[in-house]
Amino acid sequence: MQEFTTDHISQQFNKELEALRQHFLTMGGVVENQVQDALQALLESNGELAEKVKAQDKIVNELDGLIDDECNRILAIRQPAASDLRMIVSISKAVGELERMGDEAKKVARMALSLIEEGESPRGYVEIDRIGQMVSRMVHDTLDAYARLDIEAAIKVAEKDRRVDQEYEASMRSLVTYMMEDPRSISRVMNVIWVLRSLERIADHARHTCQHLIFMVKGVNVRHVSASDLSNMITKKD
Amino acid sequence: MQEFTTDHISQQFNKELEALRQHFLTMGGVVENQVQDALQALLESNGELAEKVKAQDKIVNELDGLIDDECNRILAIRQPAASDLRMIVSISKAVGELERMGDEAKKVARMALSLIEEGESPRGYVEIDRIGQMVSRMVHDTLDAYARLDIEAAIKVAEKDRRVDQEYEASMRSLVTYMMEDPRSISRVMNVIWVLRSLERIADHARHTCQHLIFMVKGVNVRHVSASDLSNMITKKD
């Protein structure tokens, strides 16, 4: 985002935009950790780590409120134009996506605690591990793309979401079959299903965050462009 | 929203804000119908109606793109301040909530088609009907609150979300128990579970939309205020 903040007459305005950018990336870092920690807590039956993820929700909410206020104040006082305006609109929306990723991570942590208490599910951990790694990576790459204003990286994240959806659908089918074979496991397997659902959601939010980044850098709305068309569309616009 | 659009020197600016407001309410109307039709399609095994809900997704996406572009253009050209600025920021975010409500309605329609094809689920329709009616009403009341800038109505919607969550949790427990008793029904009951999950999401989006309205009218961020504290907080601010 560096290049968005260098050409202002007002030094103070520069500082405000830089602070906004820093707060956004800080919040992103907290959410990224929440996602990773929630997965680790679940896969290693670590209740303490799950509680830590839940507690971090407060920090995420505070940062969400702070960033939202900053965006509104800058809009009102600075009346920004062009790329500054797009940056603020983009961050103002992307911060809502981060906040919801954090909510889903908290749900995963809650399911980890249920699975520790009720007893581990006999199936689904391999799927959680595989999809969890893909989704963690997507969150990481999304923030990286924001930090470097990297459109190509953002497009790659959007494309990956389709892979996550496919893996999610396949896992869901196999877990439903498993529940039919072993009905005593239903309650525990359902916890795994909710975790996979949350991971699939986090991937969706990562894709939306990348769409907001593409709007910020390119000024085009790609919210209803399919991942496969995205690359062509952006290249054409160059 | 009328009072937000009366005091401008520029007649053209008035017209733009009024057009924005109309498009937002139009989109809301389409989404409200989608939710109601998806529920009716499911409860009456009406495949044609379910297909109609799916087809309307295109209209919702077009309106979403249109409104988003309008918001960005007004921000860039008019550099609005105070209540105008809050109205545009609020609608710009609320439109994203509407769009996701429409997505969830589409998922309900898809599940209706699965249930028609696979055979009805032996359980869960009473719950879908009850929660569906609550959620439909929330969507209706949300749009009504926006049309009349009615903060009290918005707070009531936010409070209702808690009721939906409670009903959802109770239904989920009873459906999991049912699946254990009749494992042959698992695949069909899972379709009902996904429907309830989508309804619960729609209620969340309605609550968020109302939070955006409260920000628009009152200028306070209530995204992390619990429903029970909301009423006190808003009254105190008066």
Side-chain angles (χ1 to χ4, degrees):
Chain A
M1 294 180 196
Q2 224 64 299
E3 66 191 79
F4 276 73
T5 62
T6 45
D7 281 340
H8 299 110
I9 296 159
S10 159
Q11 276 293 329
Q12 186 55 33
F13 188 17
N14 277 349
K15 278 188 198 156
E16 287 169 14
L17 291 179
E18 179 57 22
L20 180 63
R21 158 195 142 83
Q22 283 301 340
H23 293 151
F24 179 79
L25 293 175
T26 300
M27 180 173 168
V30 178
V31 170
E32 188 183 342
N33 281 339
Q34 275 188 304
V35 174
Q36 280 167 0
D37 288 348
L39 284 164
Q40 195 185 335
L42 192 145
L43 294 170
E44 297 175 2
S45 297
N46 183 340
E48 219 170 295
L49 193 56
E51 291 293 353
K52 186 187 141 201
V53 173
K54 282 172 66 188
Q56 277 175 325
D57 187 48
K58 207 169 160 269
I59 302 167
V60 171
N61 287 350
E62 275 167 15
L63 283 166
D64 176 50
L66 173 77
I67 294 166
D68 211 46
D69 289 347
E70 282 182 311
C71 288
N72 291 329
R73 210 187 19 156
I74 294 174
L75 280 175
I77 294 173
R78 300 291 174 183
Q79 309 211 311
S83 62
D84 296 328
L85 177 62
R86 289 205 309 271
M87 174 181 161
I88 291 156
V89 169
S90 165
I91 286 190
S92 161
K93 289 180 180 173
V95 83
E97 308 288 349
L98 287 185
E99 196 262 333
R100 290 177 200 190
M101 286 184 210
D103 276 350
E104 298 296 339
K106 198 172 70 171
K107 285 184 199 165
V108 172
R110 231 186 267 141
M111 289 303 143
L113 291 170
S114 292
L115 285 161
I116 291 169
E117 203 187 315
E118 276 190 57
E120 283 194 16
S121 163
R123 273 284 282 275
Y125 288 80
V126 174
E127 288 83 351
I128 289 177
D129 192 15
R130 188 172 56 237
I131 297 179
Q133 278 185 31
M134 290 172 74
V135 171
S136 282
R137 183 85 217 178
M138 279 175 75
V139 175
H140 176 85
D141 290 349
T142 298
L143 293 165
D144 221 42
Y146 253 92
R148 295 186 288 109
L149 300 172
D150 185 340
I151 291 302
E152 275 181 41
I155 293 172
K156 273 191 194 140
V157 171
E159 285 169 349
K160 244 189 186 172
D161 186 35
R162 222 168 15 158
R163 269 290 303 286
V164 169
D165 286 345
Q166 286 164 354
E167 290 275 349
Y168 168 79
E169 296 293 343
S171 305
M172 213 49 76
R173 277 192 298 273
S174 102
L175 288 171
V176 167
T177 307
Y178 185 81
M179 287 195 289
M180 287 175 179
E181 287 163 3
D182 181 8
R184 290 161 309 161
S185 70
I186 289 177
S187 173
R188 289 171 293 152
V189 174
M190 283 303 292
N191 285 331
V192 166
I193 285 180
W194 296 134
V195 169
L196 291 174
R197 185 72 159 187
S198 282
L199 292 175
E200 187 260 340
R201 288 273 165 189
I202 293 171
D204 276 349
H205 291 304
R207 176 169 52 86
H208 289 139
T209 310
C210 286
Q211 289 169 345
H212 297 313
L213 174 63
I214 293 171
F215 168 74
M216 171 169 148
V217 177
K218 291 286 177 183
V220 282
N221 183 344
V222 294
R223 274 151 74 181
H224 304 297
V225 178
S226 71
S228 49
D229 292 341
L230 206 52
S231 192
N232 291 334
M233 183 181 169
I234 297 299
T235 322
K236 252 196 282 169
K237 283 263 166 187
D238 273 332
Chain B
M1 292 182 195
Q2 224 63 299
E3 65 191 78
F4 275 73
T5 62
T6 46
D7 280 341
H8 298 110
I9 297 158
S10 159
Q11 276 294 328
Q12 184 55 31
F13 187 16
N14 279 348
K15 277 189 197 156
E16 286 168 12
L17 290 180
E18 180 57 23
L20 180 63
R21 160 194 140 84
Q22 284 302 341
H23 293 151
F24 179 78
L25 293 175
T26 300
M27 181 173 167
V30 177
V31 170
E32 189 184 340
N33 282 340
Q34 275 188 305
V35 173
Q36 281 167 0
D37 288 348
L39 284 164
Q40 194 184 335
L42 192 147
L43 294 170
E44 297 175 2
S45 297
N46 184 340
E48 217 169 299
L49 192 55
E51 292 291 353
K52 186 188 140 201
V53 173
K54 283 172 65 187
Q56 275 173 325
D57 187 50
K58 205 168 162 270
I59 301 167
V60 171
N61 287 349
E62 275 169 13
L63 283 165
D64 176 51
L66 173 76
I67 294 166
D68 211 48
D69 289 347
E70 281 182 312
C71 288
N72 291 328
R73 210 189 21 170
I74 294 174
L75 280 176
I77 294 173
R78 302 287 175 185
Q79 308 210 314
S83 63
D84 296 330
L85 177 60
R86 291 207 307 273
M87 173 181 163
I88 290 156
V89 169
S90 165
I91 287 191
S92 160
K93 288 179 181 174
V95 82
E97 308 287 349
L98 288 185
E99 195 262 334
R100 289 176 201 190
M101 287 185 210
D103 276 349
E104 297 297 338
K106 198 172 71 172
K107 284 183 200 167
V108 173
R110 232 185 268 142
M111 288 303 143
L113 292 169
S114 292
L115 284 161
I116 292 169
E117 203 186 319
E118 275 188 57
E120 283 194 17
S121 163
R123 273 285 280 278
Y125 288 81
V126 175
E127 288 84 352
I128 289 177
D129 193 14
R130 187 171 59 237
I131 297 179
Q133 279 184 31
M134 291 172 72
V135 171
S136 281
R137 184 85 216 178
M138 280 176 74
V139 175
H140 177 84
D141 291 349
T142 298
L143 294 165
D144 222 39
Y146 253 92
R148 295 185 288 110
L149 300 172
D150 186 339
I151 292 301
E152 277 181 41
I155 292 172
K156 273 191 194 140
V157 172
E159 285 168 350
K160 244 189 189 171
D161 186 34
R162 223 169 13 159
R163 270 288 306 286
V164 169
D165 285 345
Q166 285 163 354
E167 290 275 350
Y168 167 80
E169 296 293 344
S171 305
M172 214 47 77
R173 276 192 299 273
S174 101
L175 289 171
V176 167
T177 307
Y178 185 81
M179 287 195 290
M180 287 173 178
E181 287 163 5
D182 182 8
R184 288 162 310 163
S185 70
I186 288 177
S187 171
R188 288 171 294 151
V189 174
M190 282 303 293
N191 285 331
V192 166
I193 285 180
W194 297 133
V195 169
L196 291 174
R197 185 74 160 188
S198 282
L199 292 175
E200 186 259 341
R201 287 274 163 190
I202 292 171
D204 276 350
H205 290 304
R207 176 169 53 85
H208 289 138
T209 309
C210 286
Q211 290 169 344
H212 296 313
L213 174 62
I214 293 170
F215 168 74
M216 171 168 147
V217 177
K218 291 284 176 184
V220 282
N221 183 345
V222 295
R223 273 153 74 181
H224 304 297
V225 178
S226 71
S228 49
D229 292 340
L230 206 51
S231 193
N232 291 334
M233 183 180 168
I234 297 299
T235 322
K236 252 194 286 173
K237 282 266 168 188
D238 274 333

